[in-house]
Amino acid sequence: MKIAYTIMVLAAAFVARAEINVVPYPSSVVEKPGVFKCPAGKELRKVVKLSKDASIPHEGYRLSVTANGINVAASDKAGAFYALKTLEQLKDATSASLPCCEIEDAPRYSWRGLHLDESRHFFGKDAVKATLDQMARFKLNRFHWHLTDDQGWRIDVPGHPELIEYGSWRPYSPKRPPEGGECNKKKQVSDGKKYGPFFYMEADIKEVIAYAKERHIEVLPEIEFPGHFRAALAAYPAYACFPERIKSRCGRGTWGIEPEVMCAGNDEAIKFVEEVLDYVCKLFPFECVHIGGDECPKGRWKECSKCQARIKAEGLKDEHALQAWLTRHMVEFLAKRGKRTIGWAEYLGAGVPAEAMGMVWMGQNVPRVVSRGASEGHDMIVTPSPFCYLNHSQELKDDPYPYGGGGRTLEKCYSFDPCHGVTGDAVKHVIGGQGCQWTEYSWDQKDLEWKYWPRMMALSEVFWMGEKKPGLDDFKRRATVQREALIKDGVNAAPLP
Ligand code: ACM
Ligand code: ZN
């Protein structure tokens, strides 16, 4: 009798456990017997009794589901919003019932990011809004919007109509490989089709920012310089070291790193970037602005008399020091406008002030790069390519979508630890991570969704739970349920391996 009872209790506990299919998994869950039946046709948020509790951390919440009702406590609106997101995931789609439980929850990291490159391909406002909806489901809170690069300039800047006229289109793109085919990065064949003009106007951007705000997501704009600047040079060849080498007045039609960069010795070029940043500071309410800073070839600066004159006048050692000088200048410019600068991590270590933030993307020496930046007082966002670059293959069998490389399985994403190898006080400066979507090999919203999900679910659990994440098998069970929910809502999520 006792044995039968024990088996019954264990079975009940197992069933209840299997119903807490939340991604990311909450910090603490106590399952209770029974269910709450949501009244037919009533929205969850209208059922919830909400109270304020100032002792609960920012973005955190306490949640109690009993057969009689649902209580939520939070110290801020974001916490209450995330409680609702948990409840939406708990609600059974067919029976509209929720398992009884007590949950206490708060994120491990404050930066839980998702990045989208709209220069290589442009997806538009509706795709961005759909992405923001998907982010909110999984408690992601930073949308990194890569708006400019060699292949296209995507933001209208009042007073600079040339950016759109020349920079927002290209005469051709590399040909799309056949279904499921390999991308050959070395031999790019033109598709012969004009791409663009594609760009956002101020009203579009304001609409996206407002939509994100309703979902407790901050929008981080990225304006790239001094490298990845070819689309701007199409508009203003005079801001290149050698204007006569800017032969085509349009975005670059092939993928890869462009040798023509911004001339750091030209005061007019600097004034232009300041004008763009000034506008961006006013348009985007988020306290951070991303200024790129990665992959700037120094060949032109070595040959350029203006760049060399700047190096001499400022007493700089070489072209790398010239980039550091330009970065410091712009970080100070942004600070005067109340903004914190973010740049790809190679811009650190050059006298950039501590309040500037670093975004680590390269796969080499990640703990060393993160630790060095953090120990100098920079807040660090960790998004190393081997774990977080979703433009690389998820290694599914018969995957119809092309990628720019391999090895980013769901398991690999789940194994990511932003603080890996970081010790002592430096840990406090590791503020989170993000998944990056570079789009040379992505053409439309369906393609994006396939590449984001379910891998961004894995990263959302890494960013929300940190070291406490329950493990891959447990995650896969819950992610299978949440993937079905995405599919039901029309999202083209990839299958789990
Ligand atoms: C990068 O992937 N070049 C930041
Ligand atoms: Zn120059």
Side-chain angles (χ1 to χ4, degrees), residues 129-339:
K129 285 183 173 177
T131 304
L132 294 167
D133 279 333
Q134 294 151 25
M135 286 176 69
R137 265 181 195 238
F138 301 104
K139 304 184 174 81
L140 296 163
N141 68 350
R142 299 284 184 267
F143 176 60
H144 176 169
W145 209 357
H146 187 80
L147 287 165
T148 72
D149 214 304
D150 296 320
Q151 288 80 11
W153 185 280
R154 306 290 176 219
I155 171 173
D156 180 53
V157 178
H160 292 284
E162 297 86 352
L163 285 169
I164 295 310
E165 187 180 344
Y166 298 102
S168 73
W169 66 280
R170 54 182 184 253
Y172 60 90
S173 310
K175 206 171 184 164
R176 183 188 178 132
E179 285 269 292
E182 286 279 309
C183 295
N184 188 336
K185 286 189 233 175
K186 296 220 169 74
K187 260 205 230 139
Q188 299 180 31
V189 179
S190 162
D191 68 358
K193 287 187 227 153
K194 181 179 174 188
Y195 190 80
F198 294 126
F199 58 94
Y200 289 108
M201 295 297 289
E202 183 169 304
D204 302 317
I205 291 177
K206 284 186 169 159
E207 196 179 318
V208 165
I209 292 169
Y211 197 85
K213 190 174 160 62
E214 284 168 17
R215 286 151 186 78
H216 296 273
I217 296 168
E218 298 283 5
V219 180
L220 171 73
E222 183 180 356
I223 305 293
E224 274 256 49
F225 65 88
H228 291 279
F229 196 68
R230 180 62 178 78
L233 295 178
Y236 305 108
Y239 302 157
C241 290
F242 299 95
E244 66 280 10
R245 295 189 198 171
I246 306 301
K247 296 227 160 38
S248 53
R249 302 284 308 271
C250 55
R252 177 179 154 123
T254 52
W255 311 139
I257 298 177
E258 166 67 35
E260 306 302 335
V261 300
M262 171 194 173
C263 178
N266 182 338
D267 289 341
E268 289 300 310
I270 291 176
K271 188 161 155 278
F272 160 72
V273 172
E274 287 175 352
E275 281 167 12
V276 172
L277 290 178
D278 192 48
Y279 173 67
V280 164
C281 287
K282 289 179 184 138
L283 180 56
F284 289 83
F286 188 35
E287 66 162 337
C288 303
V289 174
H290 198 305
I291 60 168
D294 61 318
E295 298 178 319
C296 178
K298 303 293 185 294
R300 298 296 181 262
W301 289 3
K302 283 193 169 74
E303 293 177 71
C304 171
S305 57
K306 289 202 269 308
C307 285
Q308 291 304 317
R310 177 88 72 202
I311 287 174
K312 203 155 166 233
E314 297 292 336
L316 305 170
K317 186 163 80 74
D318 57 13
E319 291 73 25
H320 292 279
L322 178 59
Q323 183 169 350
W325 172 86
L326 179 65
T327 302
R328 284 196 300 276
H329 175 86
M330 292 302 181
V331 171
E332 280 163 28
F333 178 87
L334 288 169
K336 281 190 202 133
R337 283 150 187 79
K339 299 286 184 181

Side-chain angles (χ1 to χ4, degrees), residues 38-39 83 118 150 205 238 269 288 308 330 382 403-404 413 428 432 455 461 483:
C38 196
E118 286 219 78
D150 296 320
I205 291 177
C288 303
Q308 291 304 317
M330 292 302 181
V382 195
Y403 295 86
C413 295
K428 284 195 230 119
R455 290 181 296 174
E461 186 147 304
R483 187 230 171 209

Side-chain angles (χ1 to χ4, degrees), residues 8 63 119 383:
M8 262 167 57
L63 172 62
S119 174
T383 174

